[in-house]
Amino acid sequence: MNTMNNAMPGSPRNSQVNDSERIAPAALSPTRPLYWSIRRELWEYRSIYVAPLVASAVILFGFLISMFGLPHRMRAILALDPAKQYEAIVLPYHLAEALIMGVALIVGVFYCLDALHGERRDRSILFWKSLPVSDLTTVLSKAIIPIVVLQLLSFAITVATQLVMLLLSSAVLLGSGMSVTTLWTQVSLFQTSLMLLYHLVTVHGLWYAPIYGWLLLVSGWARRAPFLWAFLPPLAIGVVEKISFNTTHFANLMKYRFTGGPEAVPMPSDRFPIGPAMHITPGHFLTSPGLWIGLLFAAGFLFAAARLRRYREPI
């Protein structure tokens, strides 16, 4: 009888076995909770992609207005030497890069400060803690947003914006009977895109990782005003050091981290952060002590933030 019951496809025992076999692979997948946690952040914080898109729309609106005088400006630009031609032609494209990157950086800062503090403020942390997702997974998903997701979104939006700008300029110049050869040669969208991606991944992603980790730690610790708790202590340390010892070691360290440092941005002084003077040297960057020391600090901040999330109560 036992053999017959085990062999019967419709028996309750066999159904339970089949159900467990179907559920087991999803439950054992280590990346699935992280994947859905990242999606949850994108659902809750729409400013992650809305703000760069709004910046892109503003850029395109202003650029569209400037198209009325483009043929006249292009004739004047063609009379300049090659170096000044490059600066005049690519200026709008570099301004678009700078604006979108700046907006993304601001969004990343405010997102980190609200990521853990907000769920304690609105008491939604009680619901999220009831789900089978560890505190470390939740904190990692929040760190991935400014370090990886926001940079890739900025890259995609910037490239799309610059491509639209290039096509609009080409259409206007062709409609005026002018050649677009100089425009396409100077802009070099493919090369600029590679440099932009390298800059976003190295500087705004990996190099700024300890900054995002610190902001997440403050977000998980502070009961109110996380912005002040994030920026006043470093400022106070710098002021106390200057008054007590008349040195600026801590201020120089903060400047070294915020400006990217020579390891992250190995380029001579130039008007544009991304241009012909920029050198893509991933080997030099990946072997720099500043990168790995910063990543160690970032890992420590994120681990501490996960521990805080486990024990902190709603505000």
Side-chain angles (χ1 to χ4, degrees):
M1 292 293 293
N2 291 336
T3 305
M4 293 178 61
N5 289 335
N6 291 338
M8 291 177 63
S11 63
R13 181 179 177 184
N14 195 50
S15 299
Q16 293 175 1
V17 172
N18 291 338
D19 290 341
S20 64
E21 290 177 352
R22 287 193 296 268
I23 295 173
L28 293 175
S29 176
T31 58
R32 195 164 185 83
L34 181 63
Y35 168 75
W36 283 106
S37 297
I38 294 174
R39 291 196 61 175
R40 189 255 288 193
E41 297 302 314
L42 294 175
W43 288 332
E44 289 195 346
Y45 295 91
R46 297 184 179 180
S47 59
I48 294 171
Y49 52 87
V50 170
L53 286 174
V54 171
S56 173
V58 171
I59 293 167
L60 291 177
F61 178 73
F63 189 76
L64 187 62
I65 295 176
S66 70
M67 289 295 96
F68 291 101
L70 178 62
H72 176 72
R73 292 196 308 272
M74 197 64 183
R75 292 187 182 94
I77 290 172
L78 293 176
L80 302 174
D81 60 85
K84 293 184 178 180
Q85 280 186 14
Y86 172 80
E87 290 188 4
I89 291 175
V90 303
L91 178 61
Y93 299 88
H94 285 296
L95 290 177
E97 291 173 353
L99 179 59
I100 295 176
M101 284 192 296
V103 169
L105 181 61
I106 294 172
V107 170
V109 169
F110 282 94
Y111 164 80
C112 289
L113 289 174
D114 190 66
L116 295 173
H117 184 266
E119 64 180 15
R120 291 191 296 129
R121 184 181 60 247
D122 59 20
R123 307 181 71 86
S124 63
I125 189 174
L126 299 175
F127 169 74
W128 296 119
K129 280 190 173 184
S130 66
L131 299 179
V133 180
S134 67
D135 296 291
L136 184 58
T137 299
T138 301
V139 172
L140 284 178
S141 68
K142 295 178 183 296
I144 287 174
I145 294 297
I147 296 175
V148 179
V149 175
L150 195 54
Q151 309 313 323
L152 295 180
L153 283 173
S154 300
F155 171 74
I157 294 172
T158 301
V159 172
T161 303
Q162 291 178 332
L163 180 59
V164 173
M165 293 167 61
L166 185 59
L167 293 177
L168 285 174
S169 301
S170 301
V172 172
L173 292 177
L174 290 174
S176 303
M178 299 181 63
S179 173
V180 297
T181 303
T182 304
L183 175 66
W184 282 78
T185 302
Q186 297 288 5
V187 172
S188 185
L189 193 58
F190 178 75
Q191 181 183 5
T192 305
S193 300
L194 290 179
M195 295 179 179
L196 173 64
L197 181 60
Y198 178 81
H199 182 78
L200 288 172
V201 171
T202 56
V203 179
H204 291 252
L206 297 177
W207 194 259
Y208 286 171
I211 299 175
Y212 297 131
W214 164 253
L215 296 177
L216 285 171
L217 176 60
V218 173
S219 178
W221 174 81
R223 292 188 60 85
R224 57 181 59 88
F227 184 87
L228 294 179
W229 283 111
F231 293 100
L232 284 183
L235 179 62
I237 293 174
V239 172
V240 170
E241 181 197 357
K242 180 64 177 178
I243 295 175
S244 303
F245 306 103
N246 195 27
T247 58
T248 58
H249 298 301
F250 186 79
N252 292 333
L253 179 63
M254 293 294 99
K255 180 181 178 182
Y256 169 76
R257 181 58 54 176
F258 277 101
T259 58
E263 297 93 342
V265 190
M267 53 176 284
S269 177
D270 192 54
R271 181 177 179 181
F272 303 118
I274 300 172
M278 179 179 177
H279 306 293
I280 298 179
T281 54
H284 177 72
F285 174 74
L286 293 175
T287 56
S288 62
L291 169 66
W292 296 105
I293 294 173
L295 292 179
L296 285 176
F297 272 94
F301 290 147
L302 295 179
F303 179 77
R307 297 290 294 181
L308 277 174
R309 188 179 186 271
R310 178 176 299 179
Y311 299 109
R312 298 294 277 185
E313 298 296 330
I315 300 173

